[in-house]
Amino acid sequence: MAQAAILLAADAPKLSSANTGFMLICSALVMLMTPGLAFFYGGMVRVKSALNMLMMSFISLGVVTVLWVLYGFSTAFGADRGSLVGWTPGFVGFSGIGKTELWPGHTIPVFVFAVFQLMFAIITPALISGALADRVKFGAWTLFLVLWVTVVYFPIAHWVWGPGGWAGELGVIDFAGGTAVHINAGAAALGVILVIGRRRGFKKDPMRPHSLPLVMLGAGLLWFGWFGFNAGSWLGNDDGVGPLMFVNTQVATGTAMLAWLAYEKIRHGAFTTLGAASGAVAGLVAITPSGGAVSPLGAMAVGAVAGVLCAMAVGLKYRFGYDDSLDVVGVHLVGGVVGSLLIGFFASGRGQSAVRGLFYGGGMEQFWKQCAGVLAVLAYSLIASAVLALLLDRSIGMRVTEDEEISGIDQAEHAETAYDLTGAGGGVPVAVGAPALAAAQIRRAATRSGKVDA
């Protein structure tokens, strides 16, 4: 018995300074993705909404951090309670976590694992905000964020990654967040926009991005930070799976960008900057769940399929009439579904597990498991998010007033504008600020058309 205890102690994981340092760097990279997302979204909206879009991402850094420490980490990664949520009293307030205590089965401290997962919890609700541009009260959005991560994100994270979560126990593969992050956020976005309705002027007025350089800057920061998001999700660097994920992240992203641009050229006759940025993000989304299970050639296939299907999907909002302002549904929901389901075809058996997909002789078993995870997360997030939005809309109101939406949500909600247009080049008088300029433009449009519908 004593000899067995000695052998067991010898085999137990020990703190790895290398893995700990690596994971702290990855955590910082994932944190950078939220400001990157803010720039990406901020450049895609009209100038009168740019600051609000930035703030809808930035507020998540504060709100979710506090909730994560208080109860979020315990709910998502505490001891299993019925395969649906977790709870460990010592995780509440991080009060019972020792500074050298290791995350079970790994060589990094619990604190490091907790802060890495915190960054995932922060960016997931921020993704939703892109679908709600131009029309949501900032206070209502902040309250929605509190409720959403509590009711939706924390439990779903437990399903997929938590000890004893039903999706993980079923064998659903989600390396870094195709279901828990992207399908979750995309379905939530769809649920909320079905409740709050369209922007004024949707499908009638031009709503072009005001700053494509900001979009490209944001896309570059997302691409850079995503290496931490994906490669870090193996929680170490000891067996080559993390480096495989790093390579597959680059391969899938580059391929998806090319595929999106090719589709765009064939369909619309031009290679657009926005298409390049969106295609890259679509590839990042799709490889997130699958990159640890597929080969680099499989990653190319995942990226190519995602680039084309996501480019096609962004046009569905015009056909079906839902106002997904910045294509969260088309890119994150569709990209997450594509990446998750393609594991059932392209899993090579030589990555994170021995699971093989259909094209590698594994049959359809893994595909059906992936379907179960995708459908469960999509349905729960869609319904729960719609209910939360409906409750808030009926109680405090989710939308700004018509006048505030027309004149600009930045001025109405934040008493600021993104750019100082007073005295700027182009003949704008010093006395004319952004709200007055917007009002003048509206009056001119009304004179031409006989109505005001901005």
Side-chain angles (χ1 to χ4, degrees):
M1 290 292 292
Q3 185 177 6
I6 292 172
L7 291 174
L8 184 62
D11 292 337
K14 294 181 175 61
L15 177 67
S16 168
S17 298
N19 284 340
T20 298
F22 170 73
M23 289 305 301
L24 288 173
I25 292 170
C26 287
S27 300
L29 288 172
V30 182
M31 180 271 164
L32 183 65
M33 291 173 66
T34 298
L37 180 72
F39 285 129
F40 182 71
Y41 282 168
M44 289 176 70
V45 296
R46 291 171 288 180
V47 68
K48 63 183 181 179
S49 303
L51 285 182
N52 179 254
M53 204 71 260
L54 293 170
M55 280 293 289
M56 289 177 80
S57 289
F58 263 73
I59 194 65
S60 186
L61 285 162
V63 170
V64 179
T65 297
V66 172
L67 298 182
W68 189 252
V69 173
L70 293 179
Y71 60 84
F73 181 56
S74 182
T75 304
F77 291 99
D80 182 61
R81 300 289 190 268
S83 298
L84 297 176
V85 295
W87 192 257
T88 296
F91 289 171
V92 175
F94 288 6
S95 59
I97 301 174
K99 65 180 182 180
T100 58
E101 179 184 350
L102 299 183
W103 185 246
H106 295 277
T107 59
I108 61 172
V110 175
F111 275 131
V112 175
F113 177 78
V115 78
F116 180 69
Q117 288 295 336
L118 165 61
M119 302 310 171
F120 282 62
I122 287 170
I123 196 170
T124 303
L127 294 172
I128 302 170
S129 67
L132 315 179
D134 298 329
R135 58 202 191 275
V136 174
K137 296 176 183 176
F138 185 70
W141 163 253
T142 303
L143 183 55
F144 174 82
L145 193 156
V146 171
L147 297 174
W148 189 83
V149 293
T150 301
V151 175
V152 181
Y153 181 79
F154 296 158
I156 287 180
H158 183 78
W159 297 359
V160 177
W161 297 315
W166 72 264
E169 292 296 310
L170 179 64
V172 176
I173 293 175
D174 186 353
F175 192 93
T179 55
V181 175
H182 298 291
I183 294 174
N184 193 5
L190 181 59
V192 176
I193 59 182
L194 291 177
V195 171
I196 68 171
R198 310 168 186 174
R199 288 168 292 178
R200 304 189 186 281
F202 176 66
K203 293 203 292 186
K204 293 184 293 183
D205 298 335
M207 297 180 179
R208 292 185 292 269
H210 88 278
S211 177
L212 286 170
L214 271 187
V215 173
M216 294 299 283
L217 172 63
L221 290 172
L222 283 170
W223 194 332
F224 177 68
W226 222 294
F227 289 116
F229 193 90
N230 280 357
S233 290
W234 196 240
L235 305 183
N237 249 338
D238 299 328
D239 55 6
V241 176
L244 171 68
M245 186 55 161
F246 194 107
V247 170
N248 284 345
T249 298
Q250 179 67 20
V251 169
T253 305
T255 306
M257 180 179 67
L258 297 178
W260 185 300
L261 289 172
Y263 172 84
E264 193 174 56
K265 177 65 174 176
I266 294 169
R267 184 72 175 82
H268 303 291
F271 303 112
T272 69
T273 307
L274 182 60
S278 299
V281 173
L284 290 165
V285 169
I287 203 61
T288 291
S290 57
V294 303
S295 68
L297 287 177
M300 289 182 67
V302 169
V305 173
V308 173
L309 291 184
C310 290
M312 295 172 65
V314 297
L316 294 178
K317 62 185 179 183
Y318 300 109
R319 177 176 298 180
F320 295 108
Y322 61 89
D323 187 6
D324 176 18
S325 310
L326 308 183
D327 303 322
V328 178
V329 176
V331 173
H332 292 276
L333 176 56
V334 174
V337 169
V338 167
S340 297
L341 295 185
L342 287 182
I343 293 171
F345 296 95
F346 291 106
S348 66
R350 296 190 295 271
Q352 68 185 91
S353 71
V355 170
R356 294 178 181 270
L358 179 64
F359 296 158
Y360 287 81
M364 294 291 289
E365 180 181 358
Q366 188 60 39
F367 175 77
W368 297 121
K369 291 179 180 180
Q370 297 302 119
C371 286
V374 165
L375 292 174
V377 171
L378 195 161
Y380 178 71
S381 183
L382 175 68
I383 295 170
S385 302
V387 169
L388 291 175
L390 185 62
L391 291 173
L392 288 175
D393 196 45
R394 295 290 175 85
S395 56
I396 64 173
M398 286 282 285
R399 290 188 68 139
V400 296
T401 67
E402 180 178 355
D403 288 343
E404 288 171 339
E405 186 175 337
I406 291 171
S407 63
I409 197 169
D410 285 358
Q411 192 69 39
E413 290 292 298
H414 307 291
E416 297 171 308
T417 54
Y419 306 99
D420 182 4
L421 300 179
T422 59
V428 181
V430 174
V432 180
L437 180 61
Q441 292 169 337
I442 292 164
R443 286 194 295 273
R444 287 196 295 271
T447 301
R448 290 195 300 269
S449 63
K451 63 180 180 178
V452 176
D453 194 359

